[in-house]
Amino acid sequence: GGGVGWVIPNSEMDNFHRCPCLWWLKDRLWIKPVGERLPLIMGRIVDRVMGEWLTNDGLIEHLPEQALALLQFYDAEVDKWRKEKFQAGWLDDFEPLVVSTKDAIRAWLEKYGAVEEKVFAVQPKLSGEVHAKPDYLIEMPDGRLRVRERKLISPFADLDDEMVKYELGFQPLCYAAQVEKVMEREVECVEFEFLVRSAPQRGRYKALPAKAERREVFVDHWK
């Protein structure tokens, strides 16, 4: 990708096409202000926690106990970052994210936790012209796959605006193409799974509850 011998993950392609220098600084040197890095770090924690949920067995039969165990696992993963990873002064910004993200995981568990679908793969690494690592794949009754990509987002984000970025961007196209090539299965659609963090009441602004919502992008092969 890029014409210079690099293979660019699809999640970075929008930045590369906007400005190669921006892409190099943000996505390869990872030079980001704390305000951007902390949500990315929390996203990594959520990926690990949700991956644990999706690869576990017996979830539906013991849902309350498993949900409690998952939230405890989340607390343990967060604690690793507190003790080992953070620079001094980051925790004041990090702790509100911890609470609001846990609320988002709890909202996902309540809405989607009883995974009755067939999970085909969790975070598969797909290599090729573009590297891709979707969060998980669902096998539909007709054998086609549904690609799920999780997004942990601000409680103040507009989901319609968020979807415009993905509908006009590279990620759905790259995911569909790579999954079909590697898995040799037709992709029904790419589905974005939003975990929307909560926000506490502040002054005259009301508290915002966490929520979980899925939105679909159907990729036509002619594109």
Side-chain angles (χ1 to χ4, degrees), residues 121-154:
V122 176
Q123 296 185 358
K125 295 181 180 179
L126 310 175
S127 298
E129 294 178 351
V130 174
H131 288 336
K133 189 180 178 183
D135 285 310
Y136 64 112
L137 310 178
I138 294 295
E139 184 177 21
M140 305 304 290
D142 61 4
R144 293 185 296 170
L145 298 178
R146 181 170 283 238
V147 181
R148 293 246 174 93
E149 178 67 6
R150 188 180 310 108
K151 302 293 181 183
L152 179 67
I153 65 173
S154 163

PDB file of all heavy atoms in Angstrom, residues 121-154:
ATOM      1  N   ALA A 121     -15.310 -16.479  14.093  1.00  0.00           N
ATOM      2  CA  ALA A 121     -13.921 -16.169  14.445  1.00  0.00           C
ATOM      3  C   ALA A 121     -13.902 -14.898  15.274  1.00  0.00           C
ATOM      4  O   ALA A 121     -14.759 -14.022  15.116  1.00  0.00           O
ATOM      5  CB  ALA A 121     -13.065 -15.993  13.190  1.00  0.00           C
ATOM      6  N   VAL A 122     -12.935 -14.798  16.184  1.00  0.00           N
ATOM      7  CA  VAL A 122     -12.761 -13.618  17.022  1.00  0.00           C
ATOM      8  C   VAL A 122     -11.398 -13.005  16.735  1.00  0.00           C
ATOM      9  O   VAL A 122     -10.366 -13.675  16.851  1.00  0.00           O
ATOM     10  CB  VAL A 122     -12.883 -13.975  18.514  1.00  0.00           C
ATOM     11  CG1 VAL A 122     -12.612 -12.756  19.385  1.00  0.00           C
ATOM     12  CG2 VAL A 122     -14.262 -14.540  18.819  1.00  0.00           C
ATOM     13  N   GLN A 123     -11.393 -11.760  16.315  1.00  0.00           N
ATOM     14  CA  GLN A 123     -10.196 -11.000  16.004  1.00  0.00           C
ATOM     15  C   GLN A 123      -9.225 -11.767  15.108  1.00  0.00           C
ATOM     16  O   GLN A 123      -8.035 -11.911  15.418  1.00  0.00           O
ATOM     17  CB  GLN A 123      -9.500 -10.544  17.294  1.00  0.00           C
ATOM     18  CG  GLN A 123     -10.346  -9.587  18.115  1.00  0.00           C
ATOM     19  CD  GLN A 123      -9.624  -9.023  19.330  1.00  0.00           C
ATOM     20  OE1 GLN A 123      -8.483  -9.354  19.610  1.00  0.00           O
ATOM     21  NE2 GLN A 123     -10.311  -8.167  20.054  1.00  0.00           N
ATOM     22  N   PRO A 124      -9.717 -12.276  13.973  1.00  0.00           N
ATOM     23  CA  PRO A 124      -8.799 -12.967  13.051  1.00  0.00           C
ATOM     24  C   PRO A 124      -7.854 -11.976  12.381  1.00  0.00           C
ATOM     25  O   PRO A 124      -8.252 -10.876  12.005  1.00  0.00           O
ATOM     26  CB  PRO A 124      -9.756 -13.597  12.031  1.00  0.00           C
ATOM     27  CG  PRO A 124     -10.936 -12.678  12.012  1.00  0.00           C
ATOM     28  CD  PRO A 124     -11.091 -12.201  13.442  1.00  0.00           C
ATOM     29  N   LYS A 125      -6.594 -12.363  12.232  1.00  0.00           N
ATOM     30  CA  LYS A 125      -5.620 -11.523  11.539  1.00  0.00           C
ATOM     31  C   LYS A 125      -5.625 -11.901  10.056  1.00  0.00           C
ATOM     32  O   LYS A 125      -5.299 -13.027   9.700  1.00  0.00           O
ATOM     33  CB  LYS A 125      -4.232 -11.710  12.140  1.00  0.00           C
ATOM     34  CG  LYS A 125      -4.110 -11.229  13.580  1.00  0.00           C
ATOM     35  CD  LYS A 125      -2.697 -11.430  14.120  1.00  0.00           C
ATOM     36  CE  LYS A 125      -2.574 -10.948  15.549  1.00  0.00           C
ATOM     37  NZ  LYS A 125      -1.199 -11.161  16.089  1.00  0.00           N
ATOM     38  N   LEU A 126      -5.999 -10.945   9.224  1.00  0.00           N
ATOM     39  CA  LEU A 126      -6.125 -11.178   7.792  1.00  0.00           C
ATOM     40  C   LEU A 126      -5.027 -10.402   7.077  1.00  0.00           C
ATOM     41  O   LEU A 126      -5.017  -9.174   7.093  1.00  0.00           O
ATOM     42  CB  LEU A 126      -7.502 -10.729   7.302  1.00  0.00           C
ATOM     43  CG  LEU A 126      -8.709 -11.248   8.101  1.00  0.00           C
ATOM     44  CD1 LEU A 126      -9.995 -10.632   7.578  1.00  0.00           C
ATOM     45  CD2 LEU A 126      -8.775 -12.766   8.048  1.00  0.00           C
ATOM     46  N   SER A 127      -4.095 -11.119   6.474  1.00  0.00           N
ATOM     47  CA  SER A 127      -2.965 -10.487   5.805  1.00  0.00           C
ATOM     48  C   SER A 127      -3.147 -10.533   4.300  1.00  0.00           C
ATOM     49  O   SER A 127      -3.728 -11.473   3.750  1.00  0.00           O
ATOM     50  CB  SER A 127      -1.651 -11.189   6.189  1.00  0.00           C
ATOM     51  OG  SER A 127      -1.423 -11.085   7.580  1.00  0.00           O
ATOM     52  N   GLY A 128      -2.635  -9.521   3.641  1.00  0.00           N
ATOM     53  CA  GLY A 128      -2.724  -9.440   2.191  1.00  0.00           C
ATOM     54  C   GLY A 128      -2.300  -8.068   1.739  1.00  0.00           C
ATOM     55  O   GLY A 128      -1.414  -7.447   2.335  1.00  0.00           O
ATOM     56  N   GLU A 129      -2.915  -7.566   0.681  1.00  0.00           N
ATOM     57  CA  GLU A 129      -2.596  -6.222   0.214  1.00  0.00           C
ATOM     58  C   GLU A 129      -2.904  -5.177   1.284  1.00  0.00           C
ATOM     59  O   GLU A 129      -2.273  -4.128   1.350  1.00  0.00           O
ATOM     60  CB  GLU A 129      -3.383  -5.922  -1.062  1.00  0.00           C
ATOM     61  CG  GLU A 129      -2.979  -6.798  -2.242  1.00  0.00           C
ATOM     62  CD  GLU A 129      -3.808  -6.518  -3.482  1.00  0.00           C
ATOM     63  OE1 GLU A 129      -4.795  -5.765  -3.363  1.00  0.00           O
ATOM     64  OE2 GLU A 129      -3.473  -7.044  -4.543  1.00  0.00           O
ATOM     65  N   VAL A 130      -3.908  -5.483   2.092  1.00  0.00           N
ATOM     66  CA  VAL A 130      -4.253  -4.638   3.235  1.00  0.00           C
ATOM     67  C   VAL A 130      -4.396  -5.545   4.446  1.00  0.00           C
ATOM     68  O   VAL A 130      -5.051  -6.578   4.371  1.00  0.00           O
ATOM     69  CB  VAL A 130      -5.585  -3.880   2.987  1.00  0.00           C
ATOM     70  CG1 VAL A 130      -5.986  -3.123   4.239  1.00  0.00           C
ATOM     71  CG2 VAL A 130      -5.448  -2.931   1.810  1.00  0.00           C
ATOM     72  N   HIS A 131      -3.748  -5.189   5.546  1.00  0.00           N
ATOM     73  CA  HIS A 131      -3.925  -5.955   6.773  1.00  0.00           C
ATOM     74  C   HIS A 131      -5.266  -5.589   7.416  1.00  0.00           C
ATOM     75  O   HIS A 131      -5.656  -4.421   7.424  1.00  0.00           O
ATOM     76  CB  HIS A 131      -2.801  -5.665   7.760  1.00  0.00           C
ATOM     77  CG  HIS A 131      -1.486  -6.246   7.359  1.00  0.00           C
ATOM     78  ND1 HIS A 131      -1.380  -7.330   6.533  1.00  0.00           N
ATOM     79  CD2 HIS A 131      -0.213  -5.881   7.682  1.00  0.00           C
ATOM     80  CE1 HIS A 131      -0.101  -7.621   6.364  1.00  0.00           C
ATOM     81  NE2 HIS A 131       0.628  -6.749   7.046  1.00  0.00           N
ATOM     82  N   ALA A 132      -5.946  -6.571   7.962  1.00  0.00           N
ATOM     83  CA  ALA A 132      -7.227  -6.319   8.627  1.00  0.00           C
ATOM     84  C   ALA A 132      -7.352  -7.237   9.836  1.00  0.00           C
ATOM     85  O   ALA A 132      -6.854  -8.374   9.821  1.00  0.00           O
ATOM     86  CB  ALA A 132      -8.390  -6.548   7.665  1.00  0.00           C
ATOM     87  N   LYS A 133      -8.017  -6.745  10.863  1.00  0.00           N
ATOM     88  CA  LYS A 133      -8.268  -7.540  12.065  1.00  0.00           C
ATOM     89  C   LYS A 133      -9.628  -7.150  12.622  1.00  0.00           C
ATOM     90  O   LYS A 133      -9.733  -6.418  13.610  1.00  0.00           O
ATOM     91  CB  LYS A 133      -7.162  -7.305  13.101  1.00  0.00           C
ATOM     92  CG  LYS A 133      -7.226  -8.253  14.298  1.00  0.00           C
ATOM     93  CD  LYS A 133      -6.098  -7.944  15.265  1.00  0.00           C
ATOM     94  CE  LYS A 133      -6.168  -8.829  16.498  1.00  0.00           C
ATOM     95  NZ  LYS A 133      -5.109  -8.487  17.483  1.00  0.00           N
ATOM     96  N   PRO A 134     -10.697  -7.635  11.978  1.00  0.00           N
ATOM     97  CA  PRO A 134     -12.040  -7.313  12.491  1.00  0.00           C
ATOM     98  C   PRO A 134     -12.251  -7.921  13.871  1.00  0.00           C
ATOM     99  O   PRO A 134     -11.604  -8.906  14.232  1.00  0.00           O
ATOM    100  CB  PRO A 134     -12.969  -7.940  11.446  1.00  0.00           C
ATOM    101  CG  PRO A 134     -12.148  -9.010  10.794  1.00  0.00           C
ATOM    102  CD  PRO A 134     -10.731  -8.523  10.817  1.00  0.00           C
ATOM    103  N   ASP A 135     -13.159  -7.338  14.620  1.00  0.00           N
ATOM    104  CA  ASP A 135     -13.352  -7.802  15.993  1.00  0.00           C
ATOM    105  C   ASP A 135     -13.934  -9.215  16.053  1.00  0.00           C
ATOM    106  O   ASP A 135     -13.461 -10.034  16.828  1.00  0.00           O
ATOM    107  CB  ASP A 135     -14.233  -6.821  16.761  1.00  0.00           C
ATOM    108  CG  ASP A 135     -13.455  -5.567  17.135  1.00  0.00           C
ATOM    109  OD1 ASP A 135     -12.357  -5.712  17.691  1.00  0.00           O
ATOM    110  OD2 ASP A 135     -13.916  -4.461  16.845  1.00  0.00           O
ATOM    111  N   TYR A 136     -14.962  -9.492  15.252  1.00  0.00           N
ATOM    112  CA  TYR A 136     -15.437 -10.873  15.185  1.00  0.00           C
ATOM    113  C   TYR A 136     -16.330 -11.077  13.971  1.00  0.00           C
ATOM    114  O   TYR A 136     -16.835 -10.118  13.379  1.00  0.00           O
ATOM    115  CB  TYR A 136     -16.116 -11.318  16.469  1.00  0.00           C
ATOM    116  CG  TYR A 136     -17.395 -10.633  16.912  1.00  0.00           C
ATOM    117  CD1 TYR A 136     -18.608 -11.326  16.909  1.00  0.00           C
ATOM    118  CD2 TYR A 136     -17.407  -9.333  17.417  1.00  0.00           C
ATOM    119  CE1 TYR A 136     -19.781 -10.741  17.365  1.00  0.00           C
ATOM    120  CE2 TYR A 136     -18.561  -8.744  17.875  1.00  0.00           C
ATOM    121  CZ  TYR A 136     -19.749  -9.448  17.848  1.00  0.00           C
ATOM    122  OH  TYR A 136     -20.910  -8.865  18.301  1.00  0.00           O
ATOM    123  N   LEU A 137     -16.468 -12.339  13.593  1.00  0.00           N
ATOM    124  CA  LEU A 137     -17.274 -12.730  12.437  1.00  0.00           C
ATOM    125  C   LEU A 137     -18.401 -13.627  12.909  1.00  0.00           C
ATOM    126  O   LEU A 137     -18.206 -14.514  13.738  1.00  0.00           O
ATOM    127  CB  LEU A 137     -16.426 -13.484  11.409  1.00  0.00           C
ATOM    128  CG  LEU A 137     -15.096 -12.854  10.981  1.00  0.00           C
ATOM    129  CD1 LEU A 137     -14.382 -13.770  10.002  1.00  0.00           C
ATOM    130  CD2 LEU A 137     -15.316 -11.478  10.382  1.00  0.00           C
ATOM    131  N   ILE A 138     -19.589 -13.401  12.374  1.00  0.00           N
ATOM    132  CA  ILE A 138     -20.766 -14.206  12.680  1.00  0.00           C
ATOM    133  C   ILE A 138     -21.138 -15.001  11.426  1.00  0.00           C
ATOM    134  O   ILE A 138     -21.206 -14.444  10.328  1.00  0.00           O
ATOM    135  CB  ILE A 138     -21.955 -13.318  13.108  1.00  0.00           C
ATOM    136  CG1 ILE A 138     -21.651 -12.613  14.430  1.00  0.00           C
ATOM    137  CG2 ILE A 138     -23.236 -14.136  13.220  1.00  0.00           C
ATOM    138  CD1 ILE A 138     -21.496 -13.529  15.616  1.00  0.00           C
ATOM    139  N   GLU A 139     -21.372 -16.300  11.601  1.00  0.00           N
ATOM    140  CA  GLU A 139     -21.815 -17.130  10.483  1.00  0.00           C
ATOM    141  C   GLU A 139     -23.334 -17.157  10.448  1.00  0.00           C
ATOM    142  O   GLU A 139     -23.988 -17.544  11.430  1.00  0.00           O
ATOM    143  CB  GLU A 139     -21.266 -18.552  10.598  1.00  0.00           C
ATOM    144  CG  GLU A 139     -21.621 -19.424   9.404  1.00  0.00           C
ATOM    145  CD  GLU A 139     -21.009 -20.809   9.488  1.00  0.00           C
ATOM    146  OE1 GLU A 139     -20.649 -21.238  10.600  1.00  0.00           O
ATOM    147  OE2 GLU A 139     -20.904 -21.471   8.438  1.00  0.00           O
ATOM    148  N   MET A 140     -23.913 -16.754   9.317  1.00  0.00           N
ATOM    149  CA  MET A 140     -25.348 -16.728   9.167  1.00  0.00           C
ATOM    150  C   MET A 140     -25.863 -18.112   8.763  1.00  0.00           C
ATOM    151  O   MET A 140     -25.090 -18.969   8.319  1.00  0.00           O
ATOM    152  CB  MET A 140     -25.738 -15.676   8.118  1.00  0.00           C
ATOM    153  CG  MET A 140     -25.184 -14.288   8.408  1.00  0.00           C
ATOM    154  SD  MET A 140     -25.651 -13.672  10.044  1.00  0.00           S
ATOM    155  CE  MET A 140     -27.410 -13.387   9.781  1.00  0.00           C
ATOM    156  N   PRO A 141     -27.169 -18.365   8.900  1.00  0.00           N
ATOM    157  CA  PRO A 141     -27.705 -19.690   8.544  1.00  0.00           C
ATOM    158  C   PRO A 141     -27.431 -20.109   7.106  1.00  0.00           C
ATOM    159  O   PRO A 141     -27.315 -21.306   6.816  1.00  0.00           O
ATOM    160  CB  PRO A 141     -29.218 -19.523   8.793  1.00  0.00           C
ATOM    161  CG  PRO A 141     -29.304 -18.466   9.841  1.00  0.00           C
ATOM    162  CD  PRO A 141     -28.190 -17.512   9.537  1.00  0.00           C
ATOM    163  N   ASP A 142     -27.304 -19.139   6.184  1.00  0.00           N
ATOM    164  CA  ASP A 142     -27.050 -19.488   4.782  1.00  0.00           C
ATOM    165  C   ASP A 142     -25.565 -19.641   4.470  1.00  0.00           C
ATOM    166  O   ASP A 142     -25.177 -19.824   3.312  1.00  0.00           O
ATOM    167  CB  ASP A 142     -27.670 -18.440   3.839  1.00  0.00           C
ATOM    168  CG  ASP A 142     -27.087 -17.041   4.042  1.00  0.00           C
ATOM    169  OD1 ASP A 142     -26.140 -16.888   4.854  1.00  0.00           O
ATOM    170  OD2 ASP A 142     -27.583 -16.095   3.398  1.00  0.00           O
ATOM    171  N   GLY A 143     -24.704 -19.559   5.500  1.00  0.00           N
ATOM    172  CA  GLY A 143     -23.280 -19.756   5.297  1.00  0.00           C
ATOM    173  C   GLY A 143     -22.497 -18.484   5.067  1.00  0.00           C
ATOM    174  O   GLY A 143     -21.261 -18.490   5.121  1.00  0.00           O
ATOM    175  N   ARG A 144     -23.169 -17.385   4.794  1.00  0.00           N
ATOM    176  CA  ARG A 144     -22.461 -16.121   4.630  1.00  0.00           C
ATOM    177  C   ARG A 144     -21.987 -15.598   5.986  1.00  0.00           C
ATOM    178  O   ARG A 144     -22.471 -16.019   7.032  1.00  0.00           O
ATOM    179  CB  ARG A 144     -23.362 -15.089   3.942  1.00  0.00           C
ATOM    180  CG  ARG A 144     -23.696 -15.425   2.497  1.00  0.00           C
ATOM    181  CD  ARG A 144     -24.489 -14.305   1.846  1.00  0.00           C
ATOM    182  NE  ARG A 144     -25.785 -14.123   2.494  1.00  0.00           N
ATOM    183  CZ  ARG A 144     -26.601 -13.095   2.249  1.00  0.00           C
ATOM    184  NH1 ARG A 144     -26.244 -12.158   1.374  1.00  0.00           N
ATOM    185  NH2 ARG A 144     -27.769 -13.008   2.856  1.00  0.00           N
ATOM    186  N   LEU A 145     -21.029 -14.679   5.918  1.00  0.00           N
ATOM    187  CA  LEU A 145     -20.463 -14.119   7.143  1.00  0.00           C
ATOM    188  C   LEU A 145     -20.903 -12.673   7.324  1.00  0.00           C
ATOM    189  O   LEU A 145     -21.080 -11.934   6.364  1.00  0.00           O
ATOM    190  CB  LEU A 145     -18.933 -14.188   7.101  1.00  0.00           C
ATOM    191  CG  LEU A 145     -18.313 -15.573   7.019  1.00  0.00           C
ATOM    192  CD1 LEU A 145     -16.793 -15.464   6.943  1.00  0.00           C
ATOM    193  CD2 LEU A 145     -18.728 -16.447   8.195  1.00  0.00           C
ATOM    194  N   ARG A 146     -21.048 -12.320   8.552  1.00  0.00           N
ATOM    195  CA  ARG A 146     -21.328 -10.934   8.935  1.00  0.00           C
ATOM    196  C   ARG A 146     -20.127 -10.459   9.749  1.00  0.00           C
ATOM    197  O   ARG A 146     -19.772 -11.070  10.759  1.00  0.00           O
ATOM    198  CB  ARG A 146     -22.625 -10.877   9.740  1.00  0.00           C
ATOM    199  CG  ARG A 146     -23.045  -9.502  10.190  1.00  0.00           C
ATOM    200  CD  ARG A 146     -24.453  -9.514  10.756  1.00  0.00           C
ATOM    201  NE  ARG A 146     -25.446  -9.571   9.686  1.00  0.00           N
ATOM    202  CZ  ARG A 146     -26.405  -8.670   9.489  1.00  0.00           C
ATOM    203  NH1 ARG A 146     -26.490  -7.632  10.305  1.00  0.00           N
ATOM    204  NH2 ARG A 146     -27.269  -8.806   8.520  1.00  0.00           N
ATOM    205  N   VAL A 147     -19.490  -9.385   9.283  1.00  0.00           N
ATOM    206  CA  VAL A 147     -18.300  -8.862   9.945  1.00  0.00           C
ATOM    207  C   VAL A 147     -18.725  -7.840  10.990  1.00  0.00           C
ATOM    208  O   VAL A 147     -19.463  -6.898  10.685  1.00  0.00           O
ATOM    209  CB  VAL A 147     -17.350  -8.204   8.926  1.00  0.00           C
ATOM    210  CG1 VAL A 147     -16.097  -7.692   9.624  1.00  0.00           C
ATOM    211  CG2 VAL A 147     -16.982  -9.191   7.826  1.00  0.00           C
ATOM    212  N   ARG A 148     -18.269  -8.000  12.209  1.00  0.00           N
ATOM    213  CA  ARG A 148     -18.592  -7.057  13.278  1.00  0.00           C
ATOM    214  C   ARG A 148     -17.338  -6.301  13.698  1.00  0.00           C
ATOM    215  O   ARG A 148     -16.301  -6.899  13.997  1.00  0.00           O
ATOM    216  CB  ARG A 148     -19.169  -7.787  14.495  1.00  0.00           C
ATOM    217  CG  ARG A 148     -20.538  -8.412  14.228  1.00  0.00           C
ATOM    218  CD  ARG A 148     -21.629  -7.762  15.041  1.00  0.00           C
ATOM    219  NE  ARG A 148     -22.922  -8.301  14.652  1.00  0.00           N
ATOM    220  CZ  ARG A 148     -23.516  -9.327  15.244  1.00  0.00           C
ATOM    221  NH1 ARG A 148     -22.915  -9.912  16.267  1.00  0.00           N
ATOM    222  NH2 ARG A 148     -24.687  -9.755  14.829  1.00  0.00           N
ATOM    223  N   GLU A 149     -17.451  -4.989  13.714  1.00  0.00           N
ATOM    224  CA  GLU A 149     -16.356  -4.128  14.149  1.00  0.00           C
ATOM    225  C   GLU A 149     -16.864  -3.255  15.287  1.00  0.00           C
ATOM    226  O   GLU A 149     -17.842  -2.532  15.133  1.00  0.00           O
ATOM    227  CB  GLU A 149     -15.850  -3.270  12.992  1.00  0.00           C
ATOM    228  CG  GLU A 149     -14.754  -2.303  13.357  1.00  0.00           C
ATOM    229  CD  GLU A 149     -13.443  -2.976  13.737  1.00  0.00           C
ATOM    230  OE1 GLU A 149     -13.330  -4.210  13.616  1.00  0.00           O
ATOM    231  OE2 GLU A 149     -12.518  -2.252  14.160  1.00  0.00           O
ATOM    232  N   ARG A 150     -16.206  -3.342  16.421  1.00  0.00           N
ATOM    233  CA  ARG A 150     -16.656  -2.647  17.628  1.00  0.00           C
ATOM    234  C   ARG A 150     -16.034  -1.248  17.692  1.00  0.00           C
ATOM    235  O   ARG A 150     -14.858  -1.054  17.378  1.00  0.00           O
ATOM    236  CB  ARG A 150     -16.245  -3.457  18.853  1.00  0.00           C
ATOM    237  CG  ARG A 150     -16.807  -2.978  20.172  1.00  0.00           C
ATOM    238  CD  ARG A 150     -16.326  -3.877  21.301  1.00  0.00           C
ATOM    239  NE  ARG A 150     -16.542  -5.283  21.008  1.00  0.00           N
ATOM    240  CZ  ARG A 150     -15.566  -6.144  20.719  1.00  0.00           C
ATOM    241  NH1 ARG A 150     -14.326  -5.747  20.680  1.00  0.00           N
ATOM    242  NH2 ARG A 150     -15.845  -7.404  20.463  1.00  0.00           N
ATOM    243  N   LYS A 151     -16.828  -0.272  18.123  1.00  0.00           N
ATOM    244  CA  LYS A 151     -16.356   1.091  18.286  1.00  0.00           C
ATOM    245  C   LYS A 151     -16.783   1.613  19.659  1.00  0.00           C
ATOM    246  O   LYS A 151     -17.975   1.647  19.964  1.00  0.00           O
ATOM    247  CB  LYS A 151     -16.935   2.007  17.192  1.00  0.00           C
ATOM    248  CG  LYS A 151     -16.603   1.583  15.771  1.00  0.00           C
ATOM    249  CD  LYS A 151     -15.129   1.714  15.451  1.00  0.00           C
ATOM    250  CE  LYS A 151     -14.833   1.304  14.023  1.00  0.00           C
ATOM    251  NZ  LYS A 151     -13.374   1.359  13.723  1.00  0.00           N
ATOM    252  N   LEU A 152     -15.805   1.964  20.471  1.00  0.00           N
ATOM    253  CA  LEU A 152     -16.077   2.586  21.764  1.00  0.00           C
ATOM    254  C   LEU A 152     -16.065   4.099  21.555  1.00  0.00           C
ATOM    255  O   LEU A 152     -15.040   4.668  21.163  1.00  0.00           O
ATOM    256  CB  LEU A 152     -15.004   2.174  22.774  1.00  0.00           C
ATOM    257  CG  LEU A 152     -15.120   2.756  24.175  1.00  0.00           C
ATOM    258  CD1 LEU A 152     -16.364   2.226  24.893  1.00  0.00           C
ATOM    259  CD2 LEU A 152     -13.858   2.450  24.994  1.00  0.00           C
ATOM    260  N   ILE A 153     -17.198   4.747  21.788  1.00  0.00           N
ATOM    261  CA  ILE A 153     -17.298   6.157  21.411  1.00  0.00           C
ATOM    262  C   ILE A 153     -17.827   7.023  22.560  1.00  0.00           C
ATOM    263  O   ILE A 153     -18.384   6.531  23.544  1.00  0.00           O
ATOM    264  CB  ILE A 153     -18.174   6.351  20.159  1.00  0.00           C
ATOM    265  CG1 ILE A 153     -19.622   5.951  20.435  1.00  0.00           C
ATOM    266  CG2 ILE A 153     -17.614   5.588  18.981  1.00  0.00           C
ATOM    267  CD1 ILE A 153     -20.552   6.298  19.273  1.00  0.00           C
ATOM    268  N   SER A 154     -17.662   8.297  22.374  1.00  0.00           N
ATOM    269  CA  SER A 154     -18.076   9.301  23.356  1.00  0.00           C
ATOM    270  C   SER A 154     -19.590   9.320  23.518  1.00  0.00           C
ATOM    271  O   SER A 154     -20.332   9.104  22.550  1.00  0.00           O
ATOM    272  CB  SER A 154     -17.596  10.681  22.894  1.00  0.00           C
ATOM    273  OG  SER A 154     -18.284  11.716  23.565  1.00  0.00           O
TER     274      SER A 154
END
